[in-house]
Amino acid sequence: MIAGGAALISAGVNAAPNKADIHRSLALRESWQYLTRDVAWPAHWTPDGAAFSYRKTVEGGFAFETVDAWSLSRSPAFDQQRLAATLTQALGRPVAPLRLPFEAFDYAGDRQTIQFWLGDDGWRCTLTDYACERQQDPRRPRGFGVVRDLSVPADNHPRLSPDGKWEALVEDDNLIVRPAGSKEAVRLSTDGSSGNFYDPETIAWSPDSRRLIIYRVRPGYARQVLRVEAAPEGKGQPALRTQLYPKPGDAIDQEQPVLFDVAARRQIVVDPALFPNAYELSAPHWRADGKSVAFDYVRRGFGQARIVSVDAASGAAHAAVTEDAKTFIYADRRFSHDVKGLGREIVWASERDGWNHLYLIDGRTGKVKNRITSGQWVVRDVVKVDDEKRQIWFAASGVNAGEDPYFRHYYRIDFDGRNLTPLTPERADHTVSFSPDMQFYVDTYSRVDMPNVSELHRTSDGALVQTVAKGDISRLTAAGFRAPEVFTAKARDGKTDIWGLVVRPRDYDPAKRYPVIENIYAGPHDSFVPKSFWPFGYHSGGDKVIGMQALADLGFIVVQIDGMGTANRSKAFQDVAWKNLQDSGFPDRILWHKALAARDRAYDISRVGIYGASAGGQSTLNALLFHGDFYKAGVAMAGCYDNRMDKISWNEQWLGWPVDRSYADASGVDNAARLQGKLFMIVGEQDSNVDPASTMQVADALIKADKDFDLLVVPGGEHSVGRSTGPIDYVTRRMSEFFIRSLQ
């Protein structure tokens, strides 16, 4: 019997693990996750900056605690018993006080109201009467941000001018203004129509109330994905579900900024020469002096991004800053800051030298005034820009030589690039929360082999004020938990380090030979190998380490690797994925496997399996299509197997526009005949993230190619079908059984 209650069987024993062994293995998470104490989550400050709150592990679950930053006194953040009772009633399912279904919350306006997320839903609860309500977004939904759902009315409430004298709204697809509280409308536009309408949700008044800007919209193609729910809960007959779901190449909404002088009743259509073929225009924002208005632009195909500044009086536009890329600009990682809100200087993040760094841009000419950061490392996040002190606080990784290049550390630097000051010296992955007034910060840091430490520091000199919490995992270790092993090997270029984790069976015997299973997620939008401690869920990134351990205990060595084509390293490292999603870093991954096998004879690379979900599902299939000589079996869950079938946003970002040969090259449908090895595909019938038809089209192509495979369709299942939903999860059990049959 192995500590932790799992009597499991390792490789080298004649009897293979049976269903009871698998059930015990899957119960590890429930058995272990409540054995830690004082493992703290990142802090969230009160609006007044006088205190902060955080979640930590306690006997039986999790407690939320508030610490006064000045007196250092501690108290419960709220009454968890009362909040659990309210949520039990609101959600229609039991909620335990020490197992509230959220990891963090923010204060809304004051210390009497909190807000948090439960899945995709925002919630707000008052702490005076513990009343909770689900937050409804009044805005019209958009399919992946680029096509408006015209079946839902826009939020057309009157937008009041800053001086309180006027209100603006849309009537009959045209912009009108009227004196506040009056019904006497002044029509400012006459060129709006149902096919080219003014969108009230884009109205933006100038600070002096003299002008406003609004977008006129030509609607795109409203593609609908249809899904049949075969077994609706409590109903006998199937139901048809529809979803607005733009796909790569579809026509998207075209937005035209239009400027209005309210007093002069003058309309100026902004010349679109600086923002042609827009994939995205941000909401317009006025400069503090009201002399200009600006918006961000990303060209379709993601080869260019810029800030367009429009003169309020003339409507003339100029590029305040422009970023061009030979491959792609990572749109979701853009950062800009308008210094003092005047548009004369802009702090801008750019990868123009091959690493993500900060630059100070002259907003009138678009030219670089000076670099702010530099070096072979990446700025990960900008936390605060102080225009008066001309200082920036930011997170970066890769600065410290000899350290894991994915560890995040925090720094302060001046606008001129001088006085780079490190704030988080410990060799670990850090998350820092600054108080609103920047007098304090809470640094929460950990590694996969070191539980969370949370400390309160003074910002002025970085001095430690108090250790807030220090995780204790002694009971977890006694139960059999062992931290994953960190392993590095050289990439395909022979120079770059590839980082990964190794999870071995708890009764590992180096004299035996173990089949290997790789847990893959290779989406170019991030890195995925966990760097922080929490092994039980998605808090630490990537898949659950505990899930890898449960699989390992069935007689495998389970690994996770970040190959080339993923983010948070150099631009060249990530660019490997450009128009090349079938690569998935496999040349690097295979070299990593071989390097570990050369060091550890127990590591049997003649029997390598692979599993993943979503983009990881696509990579799993591609492993068997393009590297079937190495990977012998794969479980592909909820995969986006053909990028032409998937959502527009993610796929055009990495494969570009228009749709070209690169989409076909990465397609599991077009390459189905190349399948080698054993494939098990799993899909949720109601997947709203990846069109489940993508899975069925691969199945169709495999059948036509006379290829054998297994398929599981989960009725009513969503995109999360591959994640464990409890101590004994059907999908995970089926995956475990598949690998036992295929590799043992």
Side-chain angles (χ1 to χ4, degrees):
M1 178 69 69
I2 299 172
L8 305 173
I9 302 168
S10 292
V13 179
N14 291 330
N18 57 33
K19 185 179 290 188
D21 296 323
I22 294 171
H23 282 177
R24 283 191 290 270
S25 178
L26 295 180
L28 270 182
R29 183 178 188 274
E30 189 68 17
S31 299
W32 280 5
Q33 74 165 333
Y34 304 113
L35 297 180
T36 68
R37 297 293 176 269
D38 293 324
V39 173
W41 270 250
H44 290 248
W45 287 84
T46 58
D48 58 12
F52 59 90
S53 302
Y54 65 100
R55 184 173 89 150
K56 68 175 183 178
T57 57
V58 296
E59 182 75 36
F62 308 93
F64 288 89
E65 185 172 71
T66 296
V67 178
D68 187 288
W70 296 96
S71 70
L72 304 180
S73 62
R74 299 168 183 250
S75 61
F78 45 77
D79 188 330
Q80 294 189 204
Q81 192 92 27
R82 292 185 65 184
L83 186 58
T86 300
L87 290 177
T88 294
Q89 187 173 15
L91 298 174
R93 58 180 173 83
V95 175
L98 291 181
R99 302 188 187 183
L100 296 173
F102 56 91
E103 293 184 355
F105 68 89
D106 285 303
Y107 293 93
D110 55 32
R111 295 175 67 167
Q112 300 304 313
T113 306
I114 62 172
Q115 52 193 16
F116 50 85
W117 290 93
L118 298 181
D120 294 328
D121 296 326
W123 285 78
R124 180 184 291 243
C125 299
T126 55
L127 301 183
T128 50
D129 56 5
Y130 285 85
C132 295
E133 61 179 3
R134 187 182 276 108
Q135 297 297 291
Q136 302 294 327
D137 189 343
R139 296 172 299 176
R140 169 183 276 157
R142 300 189 191 186
F144 300 111
V146 295
V147 176
R148 289 163 171 81
D149 185 350
L150 299 183
S151 69
V152 178
D155 177 12
N156 194 27
H157 75 271
R159 271 69 176 182
L160 193 65
S161 61
D163 63 7
K165 296 180 179 180
W166 293 94
E167 53 190 29
L169 63 158
V170 168
E171 188 176 274
D172 297 328
D173 298 314
N174 279 286
L175 178 67
I176 67 169
V177 293
R178 63 194 184 196
S182 170
K183 298 296 183 183
E184 298 181 11
V186 176
R187 186 176 292 269
L188 292 184
S189 74
T190 59
D191 53 351
S193 66
S194 59
N196 199 15
F197 59 88
Y198 285 87
D199 183 355
E201 296 179 352
T202 66
I203 293 172
W205 281 98
S206 63
D208 57 12
S209 302
R210 295 176 57 189
R211 300 178 176 89
L212 57 79
I213 192 170
I214 185 174
Y215 289 168
R216 192 175 63 212
V217 180
R218 190 177 298 277
Y221 171 49
R223 179 188 295 276
Q224 299 289 328
V225 163
L226 306 178
R227 299 187 298 271
V228 174
E229 187 174 3
E233 190 73 30
K235 299 178 182 178
Q237 296 300 321
L240 182 65
R241 309 297 182 199
T242 64
Q243 180 184 358
L244 179 63
Y245 194 103
K247 294 186 177 184
D250 284 353
I252 62 177
D253 290 355
Q254 297 297 302
E255 298 176 320
Q256 171 62 58
V258 184
L259 189 65
F260 291 90
D261 185 315
V262 176
R265 309 290 190 265
R266 182 186 177 206
Q267 176 191 39
I268 302 174
V269 178
V270 180
D271 186 347
L274 288 174
F275 48 97
N277 193 23
Y279 180 84
E280 175 190 341
L281 294 184
S282 72
H285 56 278
W286 284 88
R287 298 290 172 41
D289 57 7
K291 293 181 179 180
S292 63
V293 61
F295 51 87
D296 297 348
Y297 155 73
V298 176
R299 189 177 67 204
R300 194 161 188 187
F302 295 91
Q304 184 181 75
R306 61 169 38 127
I307 296 175
V308 178
S309 182
V310 181
D311 181 79
S314 67
H318 78 275
V321 56
T322 298
E323 188 77 15
D324 292 302
K326 294 179 180 179
T327 55
F328 61 85
I329 289 164
Y330 187 4
D332 289 345
R333 291 281 178 94
R334 286 172 298 143
F335 173 81
S336 65
H337 171 79
D338 191 342
V339 178
K340 296 187 177 180
L342 297 173
R344 296 168 189 160
E345 292 181 312
I346 297 169
V347 177
W348 177 258
S350 168
E351 291 185 293
R352 62 189 64 189
D353 78 341
W355 303 84
N356 193 46
H357 280 297
L358 301 178
Y359 296 77
L360 188 63
I361 307 292
D362 186 324
R364 292 161 292 196
T365 66
K367 295 181 178 180
V368 175
K369 293 184 70 173
N370 63 264
R371 295 193 61 142
I372 300 173
T373 62
S374 62
Q376 293 191 357
W377 48 271
V378 295
V379 173
R380 295 280 294 269
D381 184 37
V382 177
V383 179
K384 169 76 173 179
V385 180
D386 189 322
D387 293 343
E388 298 302 324
K389 294 181 178 178
R390 297 181 71 81
Q391 292 179 328
I392 302 169
W393 286 260
F394 65 96
S397 57
V399 179
N400 301 328
E403 187 179 273
D404 187 325
Y406 295 96
F407 282 170
R408 292 166 297 174
H409 289 272
Y410 286 72
Y411 303 87
R412 184 180 65 243
I413 197 169
D414 295 343
F415 275 22
D416 60 8
R418 298 178 181 177
N419 299 318
L420 178 65
T421 304
L423 302 174
T424 54
E426 291 80 6
R427 292 172 63 93
D429 187 55
H430 295 255
T431 300
V432 168
S433 303
F434 288 92
S435 63
D437 58 10
M438 296 299 290
Q439 291 200 60
F440 298 101
Y441 62 90
V442 178
D443 178 16
T444 303
Y445 58 91
S446 67
R447 300 187 303 266
V448 292
D449 63 343
M450 182 184 77
N452 301 21
V453 177
S454 187
E455 298 174 341
L456 177 65
H457 291 258
R458 267 198 317 268
T459 306
S460 59
D461 57 5
L464 175 66
V465 177
Q466 184 188 56
T467 298
V468 177
K470 189 172 183 178
D472 179 353
I473 61 169
S474 55
R475 292 175 62 191
L476 179 64
T477 302
F481 172 77
R482 297 294 180 269
E485 173 192 347
V486 177
F487 182 73
T488 62
K490 295 302 179 185
R492 68 189 79 176
D493 62 5
K495 299 181 294 184
T496 306
D497 283 335
I498 299 296
W499 290 71
L501 290 181
V502 184
V503 178
R504 303 177 191 274
R506 284 178 289 150
D507 60 352
Y508 173 72
D509 182 350
K512 296 177 181 177
R513 296 278 284 170
Y514 293 86
V516 175
I517 299 176
E518 180 180 344
N519 167 20
I520 190 170
Y521 195 94
H525 56 279
D526 209 342
S527 54
F528 306 99
V529 174
K531 300 299 172 183
S532 54
F533 173 73
W534 189 247
F536 304 110
Y538 287 84
H539 169 74
S540 60
D543 198 2
K544 307 177 186 72
V545 170
I546 195 68
M548 296 167 66
Q549 185 67 66
L551 191 55
D553 284 346
L554 296 173
F556 303 96
I557 297 176
V558 186
V559 303
Q560 190 173 6
I561 311 161
D562 279 322
M564 284 188 171
T566 52
N568 302 322
R569 302 284 288 275
S570 69
K571 173 69 170 163
F573 191 98
Q574 189 182 23
D575 273 352
V576 168
W578 174 241
K579 293 187 177 295
N580 187 31
L581 286 183
Q582 69 273 22
D583 182 277
S584 294
F586 282 122
D588 315 303
R589 296 170 186 276
I590 292 170
L591 288 171
W592 188 96
H593 282 289
K594 290 180 177 179
L596 184 52
R599 197 191 73 172
D600 183 356
R601 67 168 304 277
Y603 197 85
D604 186 357
I605 60 168
S606 69
R607 294 181 291 163
V608 179
I610 187 169
Y611 72 96
S614 193
Q618 179 182 25
S619 295
T620 295
L621 176 60
N622 285 343
L624 301 181
L625 298 182
F626 302 108
H627 302 278
D629 56 334
F630 184 82
Y631 293 97
K632 300 303 189 291
V635 179
M637 297 170 280
C640 42
Y641 305 113
D642 189 309
N643 302 98
R644 296 165 293 195
M645 288 292 296
D646 193 21
K647 67 195 78 66
I648 187 173
S649 52
W650 195 84
N651 296 278
E652 286 196 9
Q653 168 70 83
W654 313 118
L655 293 173
W657 179 92
V659 174
D660 60 13
R661 181 68 196 175
S662 65
Y663 286 79
D665 289 343
S667 168
V669 176
D670 291 8
N671 292 284
R674 304 174 62 136
L675 179 70
Q676 298 182 61
K678 300 175 182 179
L679 171 65
F680 182 17
M681 290 192 298
I682 303 173
V683 65
E685 176 199 60
Q686 295 302 308
D687 192 333
S688 60
N689 186 305
V690 174
D691 186 348
S694 184
T695 298
M696 305 312 292
Q697 290 183 2
V698 173
D700 179 60
L702 290 170
I703 291 169
K704 290 175 179 176
D706 197 27
K707 295 289 185 178
D708 295 340
F709 64 98
D710 293 332
L711 173 65
L712 171 63
V713 179
V714 180
E718 247 287 1
H719 190 60
S720 58
V721 67
R723 299 180 187 174
S724 176
T725 57
I728 300 175
D729 176 72
Y730 179 81
V731 169
T732 309
R733 176 178 67 79
R734 290 290 305 276
M735 179 179 77
S736 301
E737 291 172 341
F738 173 82
F739 281 130
I740 290 167
R741 290 195 308 271
S742 302
L743 300 176
Q744 291 184 359

